[in-house]
Amino acid sequence: MSTKFESSPNEPSAGQQRRQANILLLRLQWLLILLLIAALAWLYISQQRFQNHVNERLQSNEQLASRLNEMDDRLFAISQQSLPPPSTVVGSQAQNQLDLLRIQIQAADRLLLDNNDRAAIDLLRGLQWQLSQNSNEIAPALTIVIKQSLSKDIERLQAQSSQPSPWQIQNLAIQNIQEFLHSHERLNSHNKQGTSVNVASDNVVLTRRQLTTHEVIMTLNLANQASNMRDKGQLISYLRQARNQLQTLVADPPSTPKNKVSFNFNPTSLSIIKSSTKTSDNQSNLQTMGAPKNISEVIDWLDKLIASSPTPTPLLTTQILDKPKR
């Protein structure tokens, strides 16, 4: 008995199966193509983003580099402006040392004006030591000249420091004049009170003379203060004012007292004046002045004090260092 297989009417035929398989393969191919296109698009977008990011980084680096270059150029320009010209580079250190030396010498002159000779001597000795150092780049010939002038200045100041200053001599002379005016006023008042004449006009003259004498004494006090402050202009002004005030007494002198009025020097003050005036030609007149016996001689004293007012003597080193400037 033979077996016969019959196909089910619901089963697809072989041709239909082949067509379905082809459709499925075609769909798979399109799906792969779409996936590949999407992948390529993603890669392209990523590459563009990365390129843009790299370009931004490069641009920021270029801006930073340009700013650094600008700052470098500005710093270089500033440094070129602060530096001396190439022609003055050679010897600039020596010139700086000379300028510093001038400033230190000016400080020494200021100490002398303040009557501080000891500090000025110490400063000049320090300058001598400074010029002897290996770091000194001043010309050797000029260094030798400056050292010699410093030695002479130190010797002069040492001799000057052992004696009273001209300002002290002025103060002593002014104080002696004040003592004379006090004694002259007391003696004159005593003689007037001892007389039996009682005339109103005489009393008026006596009062005016006393007031003038007190004014002169007060003016001389101001002159003493100006001398202590080393103010030559004020000192001469007050001495001239005192002289003009005394001149009014000479123009209209009162009756001469019977007893002579003599001015007693303080021996210590006189010896100081004599010892100190040997070192100054301007003070030589004070040494030969005798004790005044009247107002006219006091005026002569004031004239000599005005003529011999203290004048600061500049250091020899100052004159040497100032020569190149002139």
Side-chain angles (χ1 to χ4, degrees), residues 199-212:
V199 183
S201 60
D202 291 339
N203 292 334
V204 173
V205 172
L206 177 61
T207 303
R208 183 179 64 84
R209 187 178 186 85
Q210 287 178 342
L211 290 176
T212 302

Side-chain angles (χ1 to χ4, degrees), residues 46-318:
S46 299
Q47 189 270 341
Q48 290 295 325
R49 289 180 177 177
F50 179 74
Q51 185 177 356
N52 293 333
H53 180 67
V54 171
N55 291 335
E56 291 177 357
R57 293 290 299 273
L58 291 175
Q59 186 177 3
S60 62
N61 290 336
E62 290 178 357
Q63 293 177 355
L64 180 61
S66 62
R67 290 180 181 177
L68 291 176
N69 291 332
E70 290 178 0
M71 292 179 62
D72 191 17
D73 294 339
R74 291 178 182 177
L75 291 175
F76 180 75
I78 294 173
S79 63
Q80 288 297 320
Q81 291 177 358
S82 61
L83 291 175
S87 58
T88 61
V89 171
V90 180
S92 60
Q93 185 65 24
Q95 185 63 38
N96 292 336
Q97 291 181 353
L98 276 176
D99 293 339
L100 178 61
L101 189 61
R102 289 191 180 96
I103 295 174
Q104 292 169 329
I105 291 296
Q106 290 176 2
D109 285 330
R110 184 60 189 175
L111 290 173
L112 293 178
L113 290 178
D114 294 337
N115 199 27
N116 196 347
D117 294 343
R118 181 56 55 189
I121 292 173
D122 293 338
L123 178 56
L124 295 180
R125 286 176 176 170
L127 295 180
Q128 280 186 326
W129 175 85
Q130 178 178 325
L131 293 174
S132 302
Q133 300 303 305
N134 295 328
S135 59
N136 177 36
E137 296 186 7
I138 302 176
L142 182 58
T143 300
I144 294 174
V145 173
I146 294 176
K147 284 184 177 180
Q148 292 176 352
S149 64
L150 287 173
S151 299
K152 293 180 180 179
D153 287 332
I154 291 174
E155 292 177 0
R156 180 176 69 85
L157 293 179
Q158 286 177 341
Q160 179 178 326
S161 62
S162 61
Q163 300 172 354
S165 68
W167 299 100
Q168 293 174 332
I169 299 174
Q170 289 273 334
N171 287 341
L172 291 174
I174 292 173
Q175 291 172 6
N176 289 333
I177 292 176
Q178 288 177 313
E179 291 179 5
F180 166 76
L181 292 176
H182 280 298
S183 61
H184 178 74
E185 180 189 358
R186 286 194 299 267
L187 183 59
N188 193 21
S189 299
H190 177 72
N191 291 334
K192 288 291 182 181
Q193 291 174 0
T195 58
S196 57
V197 179
N198 187 11
V199 183
S201 60
D202 291 339
N203 292 334
V204 173
V205 172
L206 177 61
T207 303
R208 183 179 64 84
R209 187 178 186 85
Q210 287 178 342
L211 290 176
T212 302
T213 304
H214 281 294
E215 289 178 358
V216 172
I217 293 173
M218 296 300 295
T219 304
L220 292 177
N221 286 334
L222 295 176
N224 256 331
Q225 295 178 7
S227 179
N228 292 330
M229 297 175 62
R230 307 295 190 266
D231 192 340
K232 180 179 177 180
Q234 289 290 335
L235 173 63
I236 295 177
S237 175
Y238 288 130
L239 291 178
R240 286 176 177 171
Q241 182 178 347
R243 184 193 182 282
N244 294 334
Q245 290 170 343
L246 288 176
Q247 192 70 36
T248 60
L249 299 182
V250 177
D252 185 19
S255 59
T256 305
K258 296 179 180 179
N259 297 330
K260 280 189 175 181
V261 179
S262 62
F263 175 59
N264 296 324
F265 262 113
N266 185 350
T268 305
S269 302
L270 181 60
S271 62
I272 290 176
I273 293 177
K274 288 184 177 181
S275 63
S276 60
T277 51
K278 294 178 182 179
T279 61
S280 176
D281 293 336
N282 292 333
Q283 299 294 328
S284 60
N285 293 331
L286 297 181
Q287 182 180 356
T288 58
M289 287 194 301
K293 298 179 176 59
N294 50 44
I295 299 298
S296 298
E297 292 189 9
V298 173
I299 294 176
D300 183 58
W301 270 67
L302 292 175
D303 289 335
K304 291 180 180 180
L305 287 177
I306 293 172
S308 61
S309 58
T311 300
T313 303
L315 294 172
L316 179 61
T317 309
T318 302

